[in-house]
Amino acid sequence: MYLQCQTKTVIFSDLAPMMPTPCFFPARMDEAEVEEIRDLPPLKEPLLQLISLQKAAGYWLLDQDLAAVLEKPSDEVEKAKPATVKNEVWASILALIWLHGFKLDAKEEWELLSMKAASWIKAQNAPCVSECVEAGNTLLGCSVKKEALGL
């Protein structure tokens, strides 16, 4: 049996009879229902947006999408960047500060991606991580310690 849930297809195996199935999902969706789902606005939850922006290697890009999650204008985010740091390192440090500063209550949901980002940042041998954490805290209005970020 195939069930459409938002934009994901769930396939139940032969073991499905042993598992309770939700009765509110239709067995099949007609084209109008599929179009209705396609027309839904993108998720606005900032944590989900930030998670979706992380690259497979563990870093974030310094772009307008990240600035939107941080609720800062792109030019302000770029202007606060220490001169000697790479954009991706700066963006990743900002993302980590934001997670620790604003989404600590959901740490279980983002802890692994945070560890991956911290590992990526360390591998970059960036010369000014402490300076970036300080500048990021100032920009975001946080007081997260470098050690709390795993750096």
Side-chain angles (χ1 to χ4, degrees):
M1 176 194 314
Y2 294 90
L3 299 176
Q4 278 289 14
C5 304
Q6 292 281 336
T7 59
K8 296 180 182 174
T9 301
V10 179
I11 303 171
F12 289 90
S13 69
D14 293 333
L15 301 176
M18 292 186 269
M19 299 169 35
T21 57
C23 60
F24 53 88
F25 288 114
R28 297 192 191 282
M29 296 183 78
D30 64 30
E31 190 60 35
E33 291 170 314
V34 172
E35 286 303 315
E36 186 176 317
I37 289 172
R38 285 186 189 139
D39 292 338
L40 289 174
L43 294 174
K44 296 293 183 189
E45 164 51 39
L47 177 58
L48 295 178
Q49 287 180 313
L50 185 72
I51 290 170
S52 73
L53 293 173
Q54 188 181 35
K55 299 302 179 187
Y59 64 89
W60 280 267
L61 295 175
L62 186 59
D63 61 15
Q64 65 186 27
D65 293 329
L66 177 64
V69 170
L70 302 176
E71 297 182 341
K72 299 288 180 188
S74 293
D75 59 337
E76 186 178 333
V77 173
E78 291 182 31
K79 191 167 88 174
K81 180 180 82 68
T84 59
V85 71
K86 294 179 184 176
N87 286 349
E88 291 82 6
V89 171
W90 172 240
S92 300
I93 289 173
L94 288 176
L96 291 178
I97 292 170
W98 186 87
L99 288 168
H100 284 82
F102 298 103
K103 294 297 179 179
L104 202 53
D105 60 327
K107 186 174 184 178
E108 194 173 287
E109 297 172 29
W110 54 258
E111 191 167 25
L112 291 176
L113 70 90
S114 172
M115 291 181 350
K116 186 173 187 175
S119 176
W120 181 86
I121 292 167
K122 286 186 216 175
Q124 304 310 301
N125 295 318
C128 58
V129 172
S130 295
E131 183 184 351
C132 288
V133 172
E134 188 176 316
N137 275 319
T138 300
L139 175 69
L140 299 176
C142 296
S143 57
V144 180
K145 302 274 187 233
K146 176 182 161 185
E147 295 75 24
L149 302 176
L151 304 173

